[in-house]
Amino acid sequence: MIDPAELAAAQPDLEMLLVEMIASVLGEQAEPTAEPLPAAVGLAVSRLVIQDPQDGSFLGVDVRAEGNLITTLAATLLGVAEPAPDDMLDVIAELGNIAAGNVKSLLCHNGQLSLPAPQLAFEHEGDSPDAIRAGASLLGNVMELVVMPLHSADAKTRWPSGSAQHSAEVGV
């Protein structure tokens, strides 16, 4: 699909993609930042996988944000004072879907995109050495877009109906 050097060269494009996504989807001004997400903070994470049909390789695409940022965004987008956890999962899943679709267009035009796997977590594991991170600061918080080569898709990865991956999952 893409070698680590190509992925590293795409970092400025990933940063621009993240900042532009925040502005167009959320209507918020964001600035690129090298500041990582705080270590001990609740997180909202959406993971999607892109599979290259030519060589079968995989890229993982994560959108991560501080939990209080997703709470604020969900409240604003959904017009509720206190969004439920499912509302926050919906917001991070949609942000992940938008970002991963753009990453697919940038790095693997013919790739197959999985469904988002959103979760609320208390911490996140470290990234692989080949992972490329783009960060944005908005509303006093950090949001990250992280793209990484994967050896395989996680067994929990869900694929859209009608895709070759979905057919293999259900034994069609």
Side-chain angles (χ1 to χ4, degrees):
M1 175 184 284
I2 190 167
D3 67 46
E6 279 183 273
L7 188 55
Q11 196 279 338
D13 294 328
L14 296 173
E15 196 169 77
M16 183 183 306
L17 185 156
L18 179 61
V19 169
E20 288 178 359
M21 179 189 75
I22 290 167
S24 65
V25 174
L26 303 174
E28 295 291 340
Q29 287 301 107
E31 295 293 325
T33 184
E35 180 183 335
L37 284 167
V41 67
L43 300 173
V45 180
S46 183
R47 159 73 56 95
L48 288 95
V49 176
I50 302 168
Q51 182 178 21
D52 187 330
Q54 293 178 348
D55 64 10
S57 62
F58 298 92
L59 273 181
V61 179
D62 283 3
V63 172
R64 304 175 189 151
E66 295 176 56
N68 59 348
L69 175 60
I70 291 299
T71 300
T72 300
L73 295 174
T76 301
L77 291 171
L78 302 174
V80 295
E82 294 190 30
D86 281 348
D87 296 331
M88 294 183 284
L89 289 171
D90 287 346
V91 168
I92 196 69
E94 189 56 31
L95 293 172
N97 209 27
I98 293 165
N102 284 306
V103 169
K104 177 182 167 279
S105 294
L106 180 68
L107 299 174
C108 185
H109 303 289
N110 297 322
Q112 176 66 45
L113 186 60
S114 75
L115 299 173
Q119 66 175 340
L120 301 176
F122 292 104
E123 59 186 341
H124 99 84
E125 301 166 14
D127 295 317
S128 72
D130 291 338
I132 300 301
R133 179 196 172 276
S137 174
L138 71 151
L139 303 175
N141 295 277
V142 175
M143 184 180 291
E144 293 181 334
L145 170 61
V146 181
V147 180
M148 71 223 74
L150 300 173
H151 296 291
S152 63
D154 185 286
K156 296 176 187 173
T157 301
R158 296 177 306 133
W159 300 96
S161 295
S163 69
Q165 296 87 345
H166 181 263
S167 297
E169 280 178 355
V170 295
V172 173

